Amino acid sequence: MQAHVSIILPVHNAEPWLDECLRSVLQQDFEGTMELSVFNDASKDKSGAIIEKWRVKLEDSGVHVIIGGHDSPSPRGVGYSKNQAVAQSSGSYLCFLDSDDVMMPQRVRLQHQAAVQHPSSVFTANGPTVIMPTWFCSRAWFSHVGPFDEGGQGVPEDLLFFYEHLRKGGGVIRVDQSLLLYRYHLRAATHSVLEATIWTHRVHFLEEQALPRWAAFTIWNAGKQGRRLYRSLTAASQRKVVAFCDVDENKIRKGFYCHEDSQERPKPRIPILHFRAARPPFVICVKLDLTGGAFEDNLRSLHLQEGQDFLHFS
């Protein structure tokens, strides 16, 4: 029988965390039919034995368990494992779960309720990031957008899938509750992705999707991050930057930023203005959580509308 929801669980050497993770599947309060689709990506620890132990408990509780995997010398990566787990599953909705994380009992129920109402969206929760590990979407929408990139270690498959989702008109809806305990540790797969790789993909997406709509724009932050963004842009996008803006009087007094590495002659000199003297649209390179609310107050004072007058890039 086809399940309402398939929990998609890629596993690679998850022995220290897998008991807690699988217990959280058992504790879901969702009343529809649910299955667990596990793909064991060449684990060399006791992950396989732990999965088999929990298979009995889960199936006794009405949760069908599908187990796939391989025992090659090397893992094939998270993207491959997720795709395989999706392919072997049957649910109308897909609930993505990492093997080192723990779901709250209401997670599947609340995200399923939201997904039924919004079929072309992915659903996240009140947590550390929009992108995984709290995604929930319909199988039909995943098939429309996916699959995940299978490039393996160092490839941000979640981010690439998310950008493709946005390209195809998908939305993002947050269930405003804590639905997952996200475990941050040194063995997490996220550490294999270089920050520079993430930055490159983000800049490319910014130039592809947002900047073509603007004839000119201001970079909000004349400091390190703002200058880095400017230097990362193509020459065509750099020419659209009419100013930097900031609240730091020392930067404003300097008056301009000179791009010393530019091949143009004369070298570009971009004005640095006080934010109240600058004109939208803005690309904002400020970490909002580090300003104690002051930055958000500045935005509100200018009556800016996100997506039309500013985009946040940080």
Side-chain angles (χ1 to χ4, degrees), residues 208-220:
E208 172 196 308
Q209 295 292 315
L211 298 188
R213 293 183 280 144
W214 295 342
F217 65 94
T218 300
I219 295 177
W220 193 317

Side-chain angles (χ1 to χ4, degrees), residues 76-233:
R76 297 177 186 170
V78 182
Y80 174 82
S81 299
K82 288 175 181 172
N83 289 337
Q84 292 299 310
V86 169
Q88 70 189 17
S89 69
S90 69
S92 301
Y93 293 89
L94 306 175
C95 174
F96 290 91
L97 175 64
D98 290 345
S99 58
D100 51 358
D101 295 334
V102 178
M103 296 192 290
M104 300 298 106
Q106 68 272 25
R107 181 194 172 184
V108 171
R109 173 173 54 84
L110 293 178
Q111 289 191 303
H112 178 263
Q113 287 174 359
V116 168
Q117 298 176 35
H118 304 278
S120 63
S121 292
V122 294
F123 301 86
T124 183
N126 184 17
T129 175
V130 170
I131 305 166
M132 294 295 193
T134 53
W135 277 7
F136 189 111
C137 66
S138 70
R139 176 180 297 275
W141 186 252
F142 177 86
S143 299
H144 178 64
V145 174
F148 287 103
D149 188 290
E150 296 186 358
Q153 190 175 40
V155 174
E157 82 288 337
D158 294 341
L159 182 64
L160 296 178
F161 181 88
F162 182 60
Y163 284 163
E164 189 62 22
H165 161 77
L166 295 178
R167 287 186 186 102
K168 293 188 173 179
V172 180
I173 296 175
R174 189 173 78 169
V175 175
D176 255 340
Q177 294 192 38
S178 295
L179 300 183
L180 191 94
L181 174 63
Y182 175 79
R183 199 186 306 269
Y184 185 83
H185 58 92
L186 293 178
R187 288 170 56 185
T190 186
H191 292 297
S192 71
V193 182
L194 297 177
E195 189 274 338
T197 300
I198 298 289
W199 179 271
T200 298
H201 283 299
R202 292 178 67 207
V203 172
H204 176 75
F205 191 76
L206 176 73
E207 293 193 297
E208 172 196 308
Q209 295 292 315
L211 298 188
R213 293 183 280 144
W214 295 342
F217 65 94
T218 300
I219 295 177
W220 193 317
N221 186 352
K224 182 178 178 181
Q225 285 291 91
R227 296 195 303 269
R228 181 187 181 192
L229 173 60
Y230 176 84
R231 293 192 301 269
S232 301
L233 297 173

